[in-house]
Amino acid sequence: MIVTVTPNPSLDRTYELPELARGEVNRATGDRLDPGGKGVNVARALTAAGHRTAAVLPLGGAPGRLLAELLHRQDIDVAAVPVSGDTRINVSIVERGGPLTKVNAPGPRLTPEESAALLAAVRRQAAGADVDWLACCGSLPRGLAPEWYADLVAEAHLGGARIAVDASGPALLAALAAGPDVVKPNREELSEAVGQPIATLGEALDAAHRLRELGAQQVLASLGADGMLLVAEEGAWYGTAPVDEVRSDVGAGDASLAGFLSAGGIGPKALASALAHGAAAVRLPGSVMPIPADLEPDTVVVTADVPRELPLGR
C-alpha cells in the first residue's frame, strides 16, 4: 500500500489549442477534466501500475465532491477531510507544438481545526501495517505552515513507513530537517533550495548532495528534457528517456515519482522506472497518467558516470 497526501488538490481543466491568441476568442480542439494535485496524480499513476493506493486530501464544496467521484471511478480509495472552502479548479492551455500555459487557483484557506484533522487522517493511514510509502506532494494551502510537511515526515516514520516529499521553498527546507527518505525537486526547486543557479549537471549534482547534507536520504531531481538525477548514500546515477513529441507535461513529474516508488524507491532500477513513467506521461494529453502499455523501458539509459559538464536547459 502506498498512501498519497495532497494538501491542496484540484480539478484540472485542460484545453488543447492550435495556438493561443491573447485578447481573442479561442476555440479548443479538445478538452479534459481530470483529478488534480501532485499527490492525486501520483495516486492515479500508481493505481494505473497496479498498486494499492489511498489518497488523503481535504475536499470542499461541489468541486470537492466531483473530485472524489472521479477518483473513485479510477478505483482509488479516498480518505477525505471535509473543509469549509471549495476545492480549487486549475486551468491548463496546451498549444500544439508550443508552450503550456497554466492558471492555478489558490485554493481554500484551512482553519487550525481542519489542519489538525488532515494530519490526523494521515496518521490513521500511516498506521496501517501494510503501508510501505507515504508520498506527500504539492503546494500547501493557505493556513498550513511550512513545518506541516516536517510533521508529516515524523508521523510517517513513527508509523514505520518511508516517506517521499515533493515540495518547494520553505516547505521543502522544513521537511529536509526531519529526514525524509526521498525528496523530488525539479531544477528550479533545487536551485531555490541551495540559493544558487544551476546551469550544468555537475551543479545539479552538487546541489543534490547539499540537500542530502540537510537531511534527505535520497534526492530524485527532475531536470525536464535533460533527464533525471538520483543521489543517495550508495552513489549517484543519471538517466535520460527520449521523447519524440511532447503532448502535455502536466503531471509528468508526478508520474515519475510514482514510477520511482512502484519500483521500490531506491537505486538505479527505480530511477529507470521513474524516467519511463515520466516520458510516457508527456506523450499523453492533459494530465493523463500512463498505464504499463504506454511505457518504453528499453529506451531508458541510466549511468553512474554522471557527465558533470553537461549544460542544462534543453
Side-chain angles (χ1 to χ4, degrees):
M1 169 69 80
I2 298 176
V3 175
T4 67
V5 183
T6 312
N8 201 10
S10 64
L11 286 174
D12 283 357
R13 172 69 72 180
T14 302
Y15 296 103
E16 294 185 341
L17 302 173
E19 183 179 4
L20 176 63
R22 295 186 60 185
E24 299 182 18
V25 174
N26 290 266
R27 301 192 183 278
T29 57
D31 69 291
R32 295 184 55 87
L33 181 65
D34 295 300
K38 296 181 74 63
V40 167
N41 290 337
V42 172
R44 293 166 58 212
L46 287 167
T47 301
H51 289 270
R52 290 178 57 221
T53 62
V56 181
L57 61 170
L59 295 177
R65 292 191 293 272
L66 179 54
L67 175 55
E69 179 184 342
L70 293 174
L71 290 175
H72 284 307
R73 290 180 191 174
Q74 298 184 28
D75 296 323
I76 297 172
D77 292 336
V78 177
V81 176
V83 296
S84 56
D86 284 359
T87 297
R88 61 181 178 158
I89 300 175
N90 296 336
V91 176
S92 297
I93 299 174
V94 181
E95 299 178 67
R96 190 181 307 277
L100 167 71
T101 301
K102 293 193 69 176
V103 180
N104 286 351
R109 179 181 295 276
L110 270 58
T111 67
E113 293 77 16
E114 291 167 345
S115 172
L118 185 57
L119 190 60
V122 176
R123 185 181 300 116
R124 289 192 296 271
Q125 293 293 325
D130 58 346
V131 175
D132 188 24
W133 279 96
L134 262 72
C136 307
C137 311
S139 62
L140 293 175
R142 294 171 295 173
L144 293 190
E147 293 75 20
W148 196 83
Y149 268 140
D151 294 338
L152 278 189
V153 174
E155 293 288 347
H157 288 163
L158 282 174
R162 294 178 289 175
I163 182 166
V165 175
D166 185 356
S168 60
L172 172 59
L173 294 176
L176 289 172
D181 297 271
V182 62
V183 295
K184 198 207 75 64
N186 60 29
R187 178 184 171 189
E188 292 75 19
E189 293 163 347
L190 192 60
S191 174
E192 181 184 17
V194 299
Q196 295 179 351
I198 294 175
T200 67
L201 189 58
E203 291 172 350
L205 179 62
D206 293 340
H209 279 300
R210 176 58 180 154
L211 264 57
R212 289 201 67 247
E213 292 172 358
L214 292 173
Q217 297 183 38
Q218 298 182 94
V219 178
L220 179 66
S222 176
L223 305 173
D226 294 300
M228 300 189 77
L229 184 67
L230 175 63
V231 179
E233 182 179 1
E234 298 79 10
W237 298 270
Y238 170 65
T240 57
V243 176
D244 293 333
E245 181 181 358
V246 174
R247 187 165 182 184
S248 171
D249 60 3
V250 178
D254 309 324
S256 295
L257 180 56
F260 184 77
L261 299 180
S262 70
I266 188 169
K269 289 185 178 180
L271 174 60
S273 177
L275 285 156
H277 280 75
V282 301
R283 292 191 290 263
L284 297 171
S287 61
V288 175
M289 293 293 106
I291 61 175
D294 296 318
L295 307 182
E296 298 180 2
D298 293 341
T299 66
V300 175
V301 176
V302 172
T303 178
D305 184 16
V306 180
R308 291 186 57 92
E309 302 305 318
L310 180 71
L312 300 179
R314 291 184 293 139

